[in-house]
Amino acid sequence: GENVEQHPSTLSVQEGDSAVIKCTYSDSASNYFPWYKQELGKRPQLIIDIRSNVGEKKDQRIAVTLNKTAKHFSLHITETQPEDSAVYFCAASSSKSTFGDGTTLTVKP
Amino acid sequence: SAVISQKPSRDICQRGTSLTIQCQVDSQVTMMFWYRQQPGQSLTLIATANQGSEATYESGFVIDKFPISRPNLTFSTLTVSNMSPEDSSIYLCSVTPGSRGHEQYFGPGTRLTVT
């Protein structure tokens, strides 16, 4: 089955800096790669996704890149703000999603 | 996105008992899933709830322990049977509306504590 590895497990940045979270996947059949943000005590929320026919996608301060050949994808957050502090999960999906272990992002004011 | 509700939001149960969690969606959806999330951990798929047929379980999860129903395209239940403290976790319903491909949305979760 699919295996998703996510790094780093924790990330601390200063407000205004950029944050990058990286994921690798194993199953070449995966064709959809979403990212979720989960605040403490809340449900995971879809923040951005990318499909296998696209190399990059951007939505305001967040962007995702995908390298199908290398089987890795990354989340980039620019101009970080304290409200970006949360746990971020990547996932790889064909018919069902396999999630990474999560990255706890802390943005220090 | 779909509006998803779960009941109960939390419960404290005695070991050996069973709890049924309900998931209701405000519109018909293609896929419904049940996940477990233990404190500080990632999301683990328990099963895919299939409308009108038996659920598809992931490795490590069995129907006798986690029976699932999906009588229609907007509703599903997950039962946690013969509970033990190891079943203490957050259980999340998730749906893929289908109108926008794979996009997946989560319910608010049910926090279960087994004593």
Side-chain angles (χ1 to χ4, degrees):
Chain A
E2 176 66 277
N3 182 49
V4 177
E5 294 191 358
Q6 184 172 346
H7 298 280
S9 56
T10 60
L11 179 59
S12 181
V13 301
Q14 207 66 38
E15 182 177 1
D17 288 350
S18 295
V20 180
I21 303 170
K22 299 183 179 182
C23 288
T24 61
Y25 63 99
S26 61
D27 189 352
S28 56
S30 291
N31 56 9
Y32 175 68
F33 306 91
W35 287 87
Y36 293 86
K37 175 183 181 182
Q38 188 174 30
E39 297 176 17
L40 191 63
K42 306 280 187 167
R43 74 187 82 184
Q45 292 206 306
L46 178 67
I47 58 171
I48 195 167
D49 57 12
I50 192 166
R51 299 177 198 278
S52 59
N53 59 346
V54 176
E56 183 174 355
K57 184 177 178 181
K58 189 174 181 180
D59 183 3
Q60 299 183 346
R61 294 187 298 108
I62 59 174
V64 58
T65 59
L66 171 65
N67 183 326
K68 278 187 64 180
T69 303
K71 295 196 184 72
H72 65 71
F73 56 112
S74 301
L75 177 71
H76 304 252
I77 306 174
T78 59
E79 301 172 24
T80 54
Q81 302 167 2
E83 49 266 38
D84 294 329
S85 296
V87 180
Y88 291 81
F89 292 100
C90 65
S93 176
S94 50
S95 59
K96 59 186 180 184
S97 292
T98 300
F99 287 79
D101 287 341
T103 296
T104 301
L105 174 64
T106 303
V107 180
K108 295 181 283 188
Chain B
S1 64
V3 177
I4 309 166
S5 60
Q6 280 185 238
K7 287 196 287 189
S9 59
R10 60 177 62 222
D11 208 341
I12 301 172
C13 301
Q14 301 269 359
R15 70 171 65 211
T17 63
S18 298
L19 176 72
T20 296
I21 303 167
Q22 298 179 5
C23 177
Q24 179 74 56
V25 193
D26 70 337
S27 58
Q28 294 184 349
V29 295
T30 305
M31 307 286 284
M32 295 183 80
F33 306 94
W34 286 97
Y35 285 84
R36 183 170 74 183
Q37 186 176 33
Q38 296 179 316
Q41 302 294 313
S42 186
L43 297 140
T44 301
L45 180 64
I46 298 170
T48 302
N50 299 310
Q51 193 261 330
S53 64
E54 191 171 289
T56 304
Y57 290 85
E58 297 301 305
S59 176
F61 298 96
V62 295
I63 188 171
D64 289 347
K65 176 68 176 176
F66 298 100
I68 288 170
S69 78
R70 188 179 174 190
N72 56 51
L73 294 176
T74 64
F75 185 78
S76 178
T77 66
L78 168 74
T79 299
V80 186
S81 303
N82 188 24
M83 287 184 285
S84 67
E86 293 71 38
D87 296 319
S88 297
S89 189
I90 296 172
Y91 293 85
L92 294 134
C93 170
S94 178
V95 306
T96 297
S99 58
R100 297 183 64 180
H102 293 77
E103 286 188 13
Q104 192 171 345
Y105 301 95
F106 286 86
T110 296
R111 182 180 295 270
L112 171 63
T113 303
V114 184
T115 60

